[in-house]
Amino acid sequence: MKKRIIVFDTTLRDGEQSPGASMSVEQKTRIAEILENLGVDRIEAGFPVSSPVQFEAVRGIAAVLKKTTVAGLARCRSGDIDAAARALETGKFPMLHLFIATSPLHRKFKLKMNRGQVIEEIVKNLEYARKYFDLIEFSAEDASRTEPDFLAEVVAVAIASGAKVINIPDTVGYAVPAEFGRSIARLRQAVPELRQVQLSVHCHNDLGLALANSIAALENGADQVEVTLNGIGERAGNCSLEELVMTLKVRADLLPFSTGVVSELLYPASKSLQSITGLILPRNKPIFGDNAFVHESGIHQDGVIKHRETYEIMRPADIGRRVESLAMGRHSGKHSFKEKLKQYDIKLSPEQFEKAFAQFTCLADQKKEVFDEDILSIINAVLGHYHCGCRLVYFHVATGKDQIPAATVKLRLEKQEFLAAATGDGPVDALFKAIDQALNIETRLLNYIVQAIGWGKDAQGQVQVEIEKDGLVYFGKGLSTDIIKASALAYLQAYNSAVLHVAKIKNKENKNESRSVVAG
Ligand SMILES: [Zn+2]
C-alpha cells in the first residue's frame, strides 16, 4: 500500500523570489490554475504583506481556485497575519504559513532573540493566527542548522499552540540526505505529538541535494514535500515538482509513495512557466531539458531504436511531451489556434483571445513556422500586460564595420512624444543611451540576455534586461523577430516598472500622510 503524500507547491512564493521570475497578478493566477489542474494539493500563492502585487495575487488566486488549498506566508507579526487573513478571506480552502527562524545564527544576527523569546513569539502568534485560520503550517526557518533539542522544543510548542502542519526547511541547502533523513526520524521520536499533525519538508538545492533530501525525509516519515515547478527558487532553487513526481513514479518499486499529480500534464505546465518567467531551462535539466530524451552516441541511438527501454527510464509521453509538436503557420485558423491553447490549458477571455490571435497572425506573416514557444510568448504578452507607461513609437539603428553605431528613438508617454539620438559601443548600447536621453534618466544596465524562442533562422529573439535605478533593480522582457526591437521593448518595460514602483511608493506616502492628518 502506497502512502499518499501531500504536494505543497511554492512556485508562486519561493519560486517567484528567483531573480527575474517576478510575475504579474494575471500571470500568477494563470500558473495557479495550471498547478491546480496538475493536481498539487496546496499552493503557496505569495507573501501578502510584502507588496500590493503579492497581496492582490494571493487574493485573486484564492478566489479563483476550486479544490486546492491556497496558502499565504506570514512572519510572526500580527500585521503579516492580518494581511494574509484579508488576502485569503474569499478562498475556499485557506491556509496560513507562519514562520520564524530558529537556528543560532538567525537568532543571534537576524532576530536578536534568545531561545525563550523565539518560543514566546511562536506561542503568541499562533494564538493570534488561530482566530482567522483552522489550517496553519508552522515553519522553523533554517531548521537543518538548529540545535536538535531546541528544534524538538519548538515543534512541540507549535503543535500545542495549534499548528496542523510542521515544516522543516533546509533553508540554505546545507543538509545531506542521510543526515537529513536521520534528523526527521529523530524529531518524530522526540516529539510523539507529531503523529497528530502533518510533517513537511522544504529543501533547497544549493548542493544539488534538494530532491535527495526530500526523498530521505519521506523515507523517514515526512507527509508533505514542498516543491516548485522547474525547481525555481531562491539562489539554486527548490526541490523540483517534476523530479519528485517522476522519481516516485519511476522508482515505485523502491519508494512506496504516491502523489495526486497528473504527470502527463507536467511538460506543458513547465513550458508555460518558462515562457512567463523567461527562465529557460538548461538543455540537460532532468525531465524537462531539451536533451532529456535525446540520444546522441551511435551505440545509444542503436539501442533505443531496437528497444527504447535500453537507455530510457521513462517515456516522453509520461510527462506529456510530444515529440512531434506541430508548428503552426499563416494558414492556421482560429480553430487550430484554439486547439493549441487547449493543449496548454490556457483560458482567455474573448477579448484576450482576439488580441492573441491578431498577434499570432501578425507573427505568422513574418516567419514561416510559429512554434509553441512563440504562441506561449504571445499569450504571456497578452496576459502580462504590464501597465503601458512609455511606449516605443519608432526606432532606427545604424551599425556596420568601421562605423560608429548610432540610434534614434521616438517614445510616447500619454500624449507627449520624446525624440533622441545617441551613439554607443554597439547598436544596443546606442539604443539604450538614446532611450535614456529621451526620458532624461540615468540607469545602470546590470544584465542583458538574448535567447532564441523556437527554432530556425527566423526564430524570435527574447531579450531580458535588468537595470538599476536609484539603488533598486528592475526587470524587463521584450520579444520580437528583430532583437534590437526586442531590446528596446525589454528596456522600456524595465523602465516602466521602475516608474510604476516610484508612483506606488508616492501614493502610499500620500495616503499615510492623509491618514496621519486625519488621526492627527
Ligand atoms: Zn525556501
Side-chain angles (χ1 to χ4, degrees):
M1 187 59 188
K2 284 188 184 294
K3 174 177 171 181
R4 166 68 158 82
I5 62 154
I6 303 160
V7 175
F8 178 108
D9 184 283
T10 181
T11 306
L12 297 171
R13 201 276 300 165
D14 215 341
E16 209 212 2
Q17 278 169 230
S18 340
S22 59
M23 300 172 228
S24 70
V25 174
E26 260 175 317
Q27 289 171 329
K28 286 184 85 168
T29 311
R30 232 203 84 41
I31 294 293
E33 285 173 327
I34 289 175
L35 291 168
E36 174 167 68
N37 213 15
L38 209 51
V40 305
D41 303 288
R42 292 170 176 163
I43 290 174
E44 186 166 39
F47 186 8
V49 83
S50 66
S51 77
V53 173
Q54 290 270 334
F55 181 87
E56 282 311 319
V58 175
R59 200 174 165 80
I61 291 167
V64 158
L65 295 193
K66 294 176 191 78
K67 54 179 187 189
T68 317
T69 299
V70 178
L73 185 71
R75 291 165 295 187
C76 276
R77 292 181 189 181
S78 56
D80 285 30
I81 299 168
D82 293 338
R86 265 186 288 122
L88 290 164
E89 66 192 359
T90 52
K92 282 200 179 68
F93 307 104
M95 177 182 192
L96 180 74
H97 181 192
L98 187 73
F99 77 99
I100 193 166
T102 53
S103 68
L105 261 171
H106 282 234
R107 289 194 315 257
K108 187 171 169 193
F109 295 104
K110 193 172 89 177
L111 299 176
K112 302 192 183 356
M113 284 182 193
N114 60 31
R115 285 186 178 199
Q117 288 167 311
V118 170
I119 295 282
E120 262 173 44
E121 285 296 308
I122 296 170
V123 174
K124 190 174 81 189
N125 286 280
L126 273 169
E127 201 164 280
Y128 184 76
R130 268 177 33 225
K131 66 177 189 177
Y132 297 119
F133 294 96
D134 287 329
L135 184 57
I136 305 175
E137 167 170 315
F138 172 77
S139 278
E141 192 191 2
D142 206 17
S144 53
R145 293 192 298 176
T146 300
E147 308 91 323
D149 67 318
F150 184 54
L151 184 62
E153 187 187 345
V154 161
V155 168
V157 162
I159 297 171
S161 307
K164 301 263 173 65
V165 184
I166 296 294
N167 183 40
I168 304 299
D170 181 25
T171 306
V172 290
Y174 178 72
V176 295
E179 171 202 38
F180 195 61
R182 268 198 310 274
S183 68
I184 295 296
R186 197 170 47 216
L187 192 63
R188 284 176 66 86
Q189 252 184 359
V191 190
E193 298 89 322
L194 268 170
R195 284 193 209 104
Q196 294 138 31
V197 299
Q198 292 160 350
L199 180 57
S200 166
V201 291
H202 173 111
C203 298
H204 275 272
N205 212 22
D206 297 66
L207 294 172
L209 292 170
L211 173 70
N213 286 335
S214 304
I215 299 282
L218 285 177
E219 288 176 314
N220 284 281
D223 308 292
Q224 171 178 289
V225 180
E226 301 199 350
V227 292
T228 61
L229 187 59
N230 294 349
I232 62 171
E234 284 275 7
R235 308 181 308 278
N238 292 50
C239 176
S240 86
L241 169 64
E242 63 278 10
E243 290 174 19
L244 176 79
V245 169
M246 292 316 288
T247 300
L248 298 185
K249 212 167 171 177
V250 171
R251 294 314 310 270
D253 57 324
L254 264 189
L255 302 166
F257 311 103
S258 69
T259 70
V261 174
V262 185
S263 70
E264 290 79 5
L265 297 176
L266 281 169
Y267 189 67
S270 166
K271 279 286 180 190
S272 294
L273 184 66
Q274 288 183 57
S275 163
I276 283 178
T277 58
L279 297 175
I280 308 291
L281 297 178
R283 298 187 73 90
N284 63 338
K285 173 88 169 66
I287 324 280
F288 289 155
D290 283 351
N291 287 358
F293 294 93
V294 175
H295 305 275
E296 192 69 31
S297 98
I299 297 172
H300 287 213
Q301 282 179 348
D302 183 51
V304 168
I305 289 166
K306 285 177 179 147
H307 188 71
R308 285 205 85 89
E309 280 79 3
T310 44
Y311 286 102
E312 273 186 10
I313 58 167
M314 56 193 147
R315 294 170 306 151
D318 296 341
I319 57 160
R321 201 168 166 158
R322 294 188 196 176
V323 184
E324 55 344 313
S325 189
L326 273 174
M328 314 241 296
R330 74 169 75 189
H331 301 297
S332 309
K334 276 192 182 171
H335 181 71
S336 36
F337 190 68
K338 259 187 195 148
E339 280 303 306
K340 195 52 93 181
L341 299 189
K342 222 192 222 163
Q343 189 187 323
Y344 282 93
D345 184 29
I346 293 168
K347 295 179 198 91
L348 296 178
S349 67
E351 193 191 322
Q352 287 167 334
F353 179 85
E354 288 305 327
K355 221 170 171 183
F357 187 70
Q359 286 190 26
F360 160 73
T361 46
C362 201
L363 183 65
D365 275 339
Q366 286 171 40
K367 63 194 292 242
K368 256 202 327 260
E369 288 179 309
V370 180
F371 295 99
D372 289 10
E373 284 80 358
D374 292 318
I375 293 174
L376 288 171
S377 311
I378 289 173
I379 304 300
N380 182 28
V382 168
L383 289 178
H385 157 55
Y386 291 86
H387 92 295
C388 312
C390 192
R391 292 209 338 262
L392 181 68
V393 179
Y394 159 95
F395 80 92
H396 175 80
V397 166
T399 186
K401 189 176 175 292
D402 301 327
Q403 265 195 31
I404 297 172
T408 315
V409 289
K410 191 197 260 185
L411 307 171
R412 183 176 297 137
L413 184 59
E414 287 161 3
K415 287 197 175 110
Q416 249 185 312
E417 285 195 338
F418 303 90
L419 187 72
T423 57
D425 297 332
V428 174
D429 184 45
L431 182 72
F432 288 177
K433 280 186 177 144
I435 294 176
D436 283 353
Q437 275 188 29
L439 298 171
N440 196 18
I441 51 166
E442 243 178 82
T443 60
R444 202 157 71 89
L445 184 67
L446 301 177
N447 212 345
Y448 172 85
I449 304 167
V450 192
Q451 276 165 318
I453 300 292
W455 293 267
K457 280 187 186 155
D458 59 357
Q460 290 197 96
Q462 177 178 267
V463 173
Q464 292 181 67
V465 298
E466 203 179 317
I467 60 168
E468 191 190 302
K469 192 171 182 310
D470 306 324
L472 288 170
V473 179
Y474 302 94
F475 297 91
K477 267 177 253 163
L479 187 74
S480 169
T481 47
D482 175 339
I483 56 162
I484 306 286
K485 183 177 167 195
S487 304
L489 294 174
Y491 194 75
L492 281 175
Q493 192 184 81
Y495 166 76
N496 283 336
S497 60
V499 172
L500 186 68
H501 182 79
V502 173
K504 269 185 182 155
I505 291 176
K506 279 203 180 127
N507 203 355
K508 220 173 171 183
E509 279 169 359
N510 287 345
K511 270 189 196 157
N512 286 346
E513 264 170 32
S514 55
R515 221 177 277 147
S516 59
V517 172
V518 175

